[in-house]
């Protein structure tokens, strides 16, 4: 399974891209672009989705979004630089750089939010969209996180409240309480999956994007995305869409219900026993479900998606 990496010029910076090509390409199997989350978590924790290349006979593209991972870091960029439109523009620059005309898109967490932002603009080359573990608005996300947070042990809840009020969210006691939430609702694998740990380590080493757009963690959202919503634009999504989530996901059903309610051609599935990183917790089941969706929306007579 050949794997190549590239550094593409994007908006005056560099975006690192990985292209995984199947040993035996399947006719009509269009490329899949994988959008990672965060924002700013790098691609490592979704790297296992490259297995879809061999399993489905299609090219799979990962890239590190600007500001994180192996792409250009911009710690001095002002907060207003980091917008959804920036990452929409980067996505199209990656497609242009690889010479891709028609693609499927799979976005996980923030990547699903970004996928929705791309889809509502109705780009000609978008064939399908998979939104995985993602909210349709950050206010809904915060409401859901508050309900889950209320289920934490009293000592953890008290520590979170106290340190957030004091602005000491880097205190070890606060971080320990955060880990309790994460173990329940973000990744239910013990010990921590190495791919997830790699993305977290990169984010912590360069937290500009995550801290600016999101905040200090998954449930204390005080960044520039705090009021983000795509709900009122979802009727503009014109491609088949798959919505996936986990039973214990921090993306609670209320957060992704607008995708199901408002996108014209949509289906949804919840993985029992899984949380936010469903693709790591139940990798084979997750990929089988995604593979079937992609196959249903390929064009057997079309080969225009092959990269140059």
């Amino acid at each position: 399974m050949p794997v190549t990496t590239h550094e593409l010029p994007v908006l005056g910076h560099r975006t690192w891209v990985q292209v995984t090509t199947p040993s035996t390409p399947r006719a009509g199997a269009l490329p899949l672009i994988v959008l990672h989350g965060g924002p700013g978590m790098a691609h490592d924790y979704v790297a296992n989705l490259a297995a879809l290349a061999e399993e489905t006979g299609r090219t799979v593209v990962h890239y590190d979004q600007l500001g994180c991972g192996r792409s250009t870091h911009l710690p001095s960029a002002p907060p207003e630089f980091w917008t959804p439109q920036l990452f929409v523009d980067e996505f199209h620059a990656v497609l242009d750089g690889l010479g891709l005309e028609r693609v499927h898109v799979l976005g996980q967490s923030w990547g699903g939010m970004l996928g929705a932002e791309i889809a509502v603009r109705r780009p000609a080359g978008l064939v399908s969209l998979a939104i995985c573990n993602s909210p349709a608005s950050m206010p809904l996300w915060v409401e859901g996180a508050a309900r889950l947070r209320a289920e934490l042990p009293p000592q953890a809840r008290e520590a979170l409240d106290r340190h957030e009020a004091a602005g000491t969210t880097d205190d070890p006691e606060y971080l320990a309480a955060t880990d309790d939430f994460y173990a329940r609702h973000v990744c239910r694998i013990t010990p921590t999956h190495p791919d997830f740990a790699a993305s977290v380590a990169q984010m912590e080493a360069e937290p500009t994007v995550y801290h600016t757009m999101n905040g200090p963690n998954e449930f204390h959202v005080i960044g520039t995305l705090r009021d983000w919503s795509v709900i009122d634009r979802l009727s503009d999504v014109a491609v088949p869409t798959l919505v996936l989530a986990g039973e214990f996901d921090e993306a609670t059903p209320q957060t992704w219900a607008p995708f199901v309610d408002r996108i014209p051609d949509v289906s949804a599935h919840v993985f029992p026993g899984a949380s936010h990183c469903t693709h790591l917790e139940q990798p084979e089941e997750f990929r089988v479900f995604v593979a079937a969706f992609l196959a249903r929306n390929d064009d057997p007579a079309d080969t225009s998606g092959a990269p140059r």
Side-chain angles (χ1 to χ4, degrees):
M1 188 168 64
V3 179
T4 59
T5 60
H6 313 263
E7 288 192 347
L8 300 179
V10 173
L11 309 175
H13 307 292
R14 294 176 299 101
T15 295
W16 179 92
V17 180
Q18 174 182 285
V19 179
T20 305
T21 306
S23 302
T24 306
R26 183 174 63 82
L30 297 171
L32 172 66
I33 313 298
V34 178
L35 305 176
H36 67 71
M41 285 287 287
H43 86 285
D44 299 70
Y45 82 101
V46 288
N48 70 341
L49 297 181
L52 285 165
E54 207 69 357
E55 293 167 359
T56 70
R58 75 183 70 250
T59 297
V60 177
V61 176
H62 289 79
Y63 65 93
D64 286 342
Q65 295 160 25
L66 283 172
C68 72
R70 298 153 187 81
S71 295
T72 301
H73 291 186
L74 298 161
S76 300
E80 57 269 22
F81 177 80
W82 304 108
T83 64
Q85 185 63 52
L86 168 72
F87 295 104
V88 171
D89 292 342
E90 180 184 31
F91 166 80
H92 288 293
V94 168
L95 295 195
D96 290 344
L98 295 176
L100 297 176
E101 297 177 6
R102 301 181 71 232
V103 298
H104 302 285
V105 168
L106 182 153
Q108 199 279 334
S109 194
W110 150 253
M113 297 160 63
L114 174 57
E117 284 281 359
I118 292 166
V120 298
R121 291 159 169 80
R122 295 192 174 191
L126 182 64
V127 174
S128 78
L129 173 64
I131 298 173
C132 307
N133 320 96
S134 308
S137 86
M138 288 308 280
L140 286 177
W141 173 274
V142 171
E143 290 174 13
R147 288 192 292 271
L148 297 177
R149 176 170 164 159
E151 299 171 0
L152 293 174
Q155 185 176 354
R157 297 200 308 269
E158 189 278 331
L160 294 173
D161 293 341
R162 176 161 39 84
H163 287 292
E164 286 170 5
T168 52
T169 55
D170 56 351
D171 186 281
E173 183 185 31
Y174 182 84
L175 298 177
T178 299
D179 287 342
D180 194 348
F181 182 96
Y182 282 22
R184 293 166 179 244
H185 302 296
V186 179
C187 191
R188 296 167 69 90
I189 299 174
T190 304
T192 302
H193 194 288
D195 290 351
F196 184 77
S199 284
V200 170
Q202 290 180 70
M203 184 275 290
E204 291 178 343
E206 167 47 312
T208 300
V209 182
Y210 187 78
H211 285 182
T212 300
M213 297 184 75
N214 185 80
N217 56 49
E218 296 291 280
F219 51 82
H220 188 42
V221 180
I222 56 176
T224 58
L225 282 179
R226 63 187 176 274
D227 297 320
W228 175 86
S229 176
V230 75
I231 293 174
D232 291 343
R233 295 173 282 156
L234 289 175
S235 61
D236 291 332
V237 176
V239 296
T241 301
L242 174 66
V243 178
L244 299 178
E247 178 185 5
F248 302 106
D249 205 326
E250 61 177 338
T252 60
Q254 293 82 1
T255 71
W256 49 262
F259 293 130
V260 178
D261 294 340
R262 295 181 178 239
I263 294 176
D265 183 357
V266 66
S267 58
H269 179 74
V270 176
F271 289 86
S275 68
H276 195 57
C277 289
T278 310
H279 66 287
L280 293 177
E281 297 164 354
Q282 299 181 17
E284 291 81 14
E285 298 91 331
F286 183 90
R287 292 199 305 272
V288 165
F289 213 93
V290 169
F293 171 74
L294 298 177
R296 288 196 301 271
N297 293 289
D298 278 328
D299 180 356
D302 192 294
T303 59
S304 65
R308 290 197 291 258

